Amino acid sequence: MVDITHKSTTLRTATAQAVVKVSKSETIEAIKNDTVPKGHVFAMSKAAGLLGVKRTPDILPDCHPLPIEFTGVEYDINGLEITVLFTVKTIYKTGVEVEAMHGASVVALNMYDMLKPIDKGIEIHAIKLLEKKGGKSDFRDRFRKDLKAAVVVCSDTISAGHKEDKAGKAIIEKLESCDVKISEYVIIPDEIEDIKAKAKQYEAEGIDMVIYTGGTGLSGRDVTPEALIPLLDRRIPGIEEAIRNYGQDRTPFSMLSRSVAGTIKDTLILALPGSTNGAKESMDAIFPAVLHSFRILKGARHD
């Protein structure tokens, strides 16, 4: 199956439809009057759909097992057509589009099975996804497309040429995938004044965000938070909490990180771990959602 361990858990919703077309009005009347020999068509078909949606990953090999936290089935009769609307909700890392379509299909097929003794001309049509919510595509278009970022690697070892930087490059890769332009990528030693100078320089240049990697641990040379916190106009604890919470689900050492988030005027400042995995996971935890902050900084109203 596709690796979804890097994704964040969010509310996911999907609605699918299936259309059952009978061949005579007597069939519709039998459904309405509950005279179908095999029982109550709508109630039994709904039950079949509820069972079916839970078995989706057992039948479709690439579907992830996930918690189904809501299932709703609605019917709409229009002439000889019965439209089935099947809605599924979960709070998880991946969507429920296939589950909704599978549920609608099972409901329609069960209706066919129950009605075939009294109607030999039943057809199933238009099984399709109507709507989905909760994935990253729902939010991507809401972000500005003109953002610029500077990436600063804080490391004595890397700045001295004794080690290759991978964390900074991982950050750049994520930024580019979010349509953020890289204005500068620089490697500096773990010196408080150097770290401060970069933040002041980029804010003066109007850079939208400055992302530091390294120096957020507990060693004597880890001084990035000490350098940046006095410069910040406002801390953003929610970003810091999201980074550590995401990391803690993946390693017990995330709680030791002192990642920092805040603003200097309209410039967003982020200080992330210096390890490659730490930097990558921190970016996965908050991007692209953190880009919404730039609409707020510019005075846009919340949706």
Side-chain angles (χ1 to χ4, degrees):
M1 292 185 287
V2 175
D3 186 358
I4 59 171
T5 56
H6 64 285
K7 292 188 175 183
S8 297
T9 297
T10 59
L11 172 63
R12 312 278 184 149
T13 304
T15 299
Q17 78 162 28
V19 176
V20 178
K21 185 176 182 180
V22 302
S23 65
K24 52 188 179 181
S25 59
E26 290 83 359
T27 305
I28 297 295
E29 291 304 312
I31 294 172
K32 290 180 177 179
N33 297 328
D34 194 16
T35 58
V36 176
K38 285 193 173 184
H40 194 291
V41 174
F42 285 168
M44 292 187 66
S45 297
K46 177 179 179 179
L50 299 182
L51 293 172
V53 73
K54 296 173 186 177
R55 300 296 299 273
T56 303
D58 294 338
I59 298 169
L60 302 176
D62 200 41
C63 284
H64 295 82
L66 48 78
I68 302 297
E69 297 177 298
F70 171 81
T71 300
V73 183
E74 299 177 33
Y75 301 100
D76 180 51
I77 300 175
N78 184 14
L80 298 180
E81 291 187 346
I82 304 168
T83 299
V84 179
L85 295 178
F86 200 101
T87 299
V88 179
K89 294 183 181 181
T90 187
I91 298 178
Y92 198 61
K93 302 173 186 176
T94 189
V96 285
E97 303 96 285
V98 174
E99 286 75 9
M101 294 178 69
H102 183 220
S105 303
V106 172
V107 170
L109 190 58
N110 191 77
M111 292 176 66
Y112 176 93
D113 180 60
M114 294 185 71
L115 295 172
K116 66 182 180 181
I118 63 172
D119 191 336
K120 302 300 183 184
I122 300 172
E123 300 175 353
I124 297 175
H125 296 276
I127 298 172
K128 64 180 181 180
L129 180 70
L130 297 181
E131 183 183 39
K132 75 178 187 74
K133 294 180 180 179
K136 63 182 179 180
S137 59
D138 287 345
F139 304 100
R140 183 176 294 275
D141 291 341
R142 301 182 188 182
F143 304 135
R144 286 172 48 192
K145 302 294 185 181
D146 59 343
L147 297 173
K148 296 181 294 182
V151 177
V152 182
V153 178
C154 302
S155 171
D156 292 333
T157 304
I158 296 174
S159 65
H162 301 316
K163 185 179 176 182
E164 179 187 357
D165 168 56
K166 295 182 180 179
K169 292 175 181 176
I171 290 172
I172 290 172
E173 182 179 354
K174 185 68 172 185
L175 288 171
E176 290 177 340
S177 75
C178 296
D179 299 320
V180 177
K181 294 181 176 60
I182 309 302
S183 63
E184 188 169 51
Y185 161 64
V186 64
I187 299 171
I188 63 175
D190 291 301
E191 296 290 345
I192 287 180
E193 293 308 316
D194 291 350
I195 296 168
K196 285 183 175 181
K198 285 298 178 185
K200 293 176 182 178
Q201 171 195 335
Y202 295 134
E203 186 279 321
E205 293 174 358
I207 302 299
D208 297 293
M209 72 184 89
V210 184
I211 304 181
Y212 291 83
T213 175
T216 62
L218 297 175
S219 77
R221 292 291 289 169
D222 287 331
V223 295
T224 303
E226 285 74 15
L228 294 177
I229 289 173
L231 302 180
L232 299 178
D233 298 323
R234 290 185 293 180
R235 295 280 291 274
I236 311 176
I239 296 177
E240 300 170 5
E241 292 161 7
I243 290 170
R244 279 187 279 274
N245 183 63
Y246 183 95
Q248 196 66 24
D249 285 339
R250 290 155 178 80
T251 170
F253 304 132
S254 179
M255 63 183 177
L256 303 177
S257 173
R258 299 185 298 135
S259 296
V260 173
T263 57
I264 303 176
K265 295 183 180 179
D266 289 343
T267 297
L268 178 65
I269 306 293
L270 301 174
L272 308 181
S275 70
T276 304
N277 282 342
K280 185 177 184 302
E281 290 174 359
S282 297
M283 294 293 287
D284 286 340
I286 61 175
F287 278 82
V290 74
L291 299 179
H292 181 60
S293 63
F294 294 101
R295 287 193 178 275
I296 301 171
L297 288 169
K298 294 299 182 181
R301 298 180 63 182
H302 291 282
D303 293 333

